[in-house]
Amino acid sequence: KDADMKYLKGKTVGVIGYGIQGRGQALNLRDSGVNVIVSQRPGGPNYEMAKKDGFDPVDASELAKKSDVIIILAQDPLQAEIYKRSVAPYLTKG
């Protein structure tokens, strides 16, 4: 009731990073009926947490190809590189 969900209806939201912020945003969006995919590097506890929460984490590039909206919630020092390497090449005008 706090947001007009019509803007996300039928859209896929990609969340890059499954730490404190990423997990909270991804779960909240999914609980609100939004189709959510997540990206988290394999091998760490956050990757396993995403799997335990019912997500199938994908590479950031794959997420960018499949998402209508992208939220980058990785560690601050990594965000620019993730954007340049894995997101920017797949942006298109909607």
Side-chain angles (χ1 to χ4, degrees):
K1 69 180 184 177
D2 293 330
D4 190 344
M5 297 303 289
K6 73 180 180 188
Y7 298 104
L8 295 177
K9 185 175 176 80
K11 305 283 187 202
T12 297
V13 176
V15 178
I16 299 176
Y18 204 75
I20 293 169
Q21 288 295 317
R23 181 175 190 240
Q25 296 295 329
L27 291 172
N28 189 333
L29 286 162
R30 185 178 69 186
D31 290 349
S32 296
V34 176
N35 183 39
V36 178
I37 57 177
V38 301
S39 176
Q40 176 62 43
R41 290 176 295 168
N46 293 342
Y47 183 87
E48 293 304 318
M49 186 181 311
K51 290 185 71 83
K52 183 177 177 183
D53 288 341
F55 293 104
D56 184 19
V58 298
D59 178 80
S61 296
E62 181 156 343
L63 178 143
K65 292 176 194 175
K66 295 180 176 181
S67 299
D68 299 297
V69 178
I70 300 169
I71 306 170
I72 302 177
L73 297 171
Q75 297 172 18
D76 290 349
L78 303 176
Q79 290 182 10
E81 183 60 29
I82 290 170
Y83 175 80
K84 283 188 258 180
R85 181 175 32 94
S86 301
V87 175
Y90 303 103
L91 295 180
T92 60
K93 290 186 178 183

